[in-house]
Amino acid sequence: MDRQLTSPLLITPLGPPTKLSASQTFHQLNTFLQTLPSSPARTQLERLADSLGVETGAIAPSEGDRREADRRAKKAAARLERRQAREALEREMEVDGLEHQVEGLEGDGDGDEDMEEGAVAVEGEQGMDDRGDVEYGDLPEDEDDDEPDNDDERIHEEKE
């Protein structure tokens, strides 16, 4: 790792390098932008092309500002559309959940009413195994070495 490794890709020039002017770069960048799909990279390249166009005089400064305002408006519209779609989906899920709860409250009269309070109904393999809530103190008291309370009790027992 002490020395620089040689690159497996060798780039050989096809001709002498030519220096592009700002206006040539602007026109080539605009041509290239037409082939790109909509993405954050395209937006950044559009902004670069706009600034090059303003610098070279190909577009007016007000045109560059208008294009930026259009980009912001499109972004806000897309954001609003996504938000509305998400809210519609949440409302739909909420309505489905309420309908499911209402169906559960109506019951189907299969004898669940005569069960004692606290009894657990088991419905084959599809049903959930409901064992109730676990409360503090339900678990058996084990001697855990990592519990600081147990260390204190042992110390007191050893002293006596």
Side-chain angles (χ1 to χ4, degrees):
M1 289 295 159
D2 294 338
R3 63 183 174 90
Q4 177 82 21
L5 297 176
T6 59
S7 174
L9 178 65
L10 298 176
I11 300 174
T12 56
L14 298 176
T18 57
K19 184 172 181 176
L20 294 176
S21 67
S23 62
Q24 289 173 328
T25 305
F26 168 72
H27 290 295
Q28 292 209 0
L29 193 55
N30 272 338
T31 305
F32 176 67
L33 283 173
Q34 305 307 321
T35 63
L36 288 179
S38 180
S39 67
R42 179 184 174 141
T43 303
Q44 291 174 347
L45 287 174
E46 285 174 347
R47 288 181 176 140
L48 175 65
D50 289 348
S51 66
L52 276 173
V54 169
E55 181 183 321
T56 60
I59 61 173
S62 60
E63 177 69 15
D65 294 339
R66 186 193 62 78
R67 289 181 184 182
E68 183 63 28
D70 286 347
R71 281 192 284 272
R72 286 185 182 154
K74 284 181 185 178
K75 185 176 180 180
R79 185 181 297 137
L80 179 64
E81 184 179 320
R82 286 192 308 266
R83 182 181 302 132
Q84 288 174 345
R86 184 175 58 243
E87 288 173 355
L89 181 64
E90 288 174 356
R91 275 188 253 118
E92 183 179 314
M93 295 295 286
E94 185 177 312
V95 168
D96 288 346
L98 291 175
E99 288 175 358
H100 182 68
Q101 288 178 354
V102 168
E103 289 173 2
L105 290 176
E106 290 173 356
D108 45 317
D110 60 354
D112 288 340
E113 295 82 23
D114 56 61
M115 290 181 64
E116 295 180 19
E117 186 176 330
V120 176
V122 178
E123 304 174 344
E125 292 182 19
Q126 294 94 351
M128 268 179 48
D129 187 14
D130 184 17
R131 298 183 184 192
D133 294 333
V134 176
E135 295 180 7
Y136 184 77
D138 285 349
L139 299 175
E141 293 291 326
D142 289 335
E143 291 294 323
D144 292 335
D145 292 332
D146 59 343
E147 292 290 326
D149 298 338
N150 294 336
D151 291 339
D152 293 341
E153 291 174 8
R154 287 187 198 139
I155 292 172
H156 292 299
E157 290 174 3
E158 291 173 2
K159 288 181 180 178
E160 293 173 1

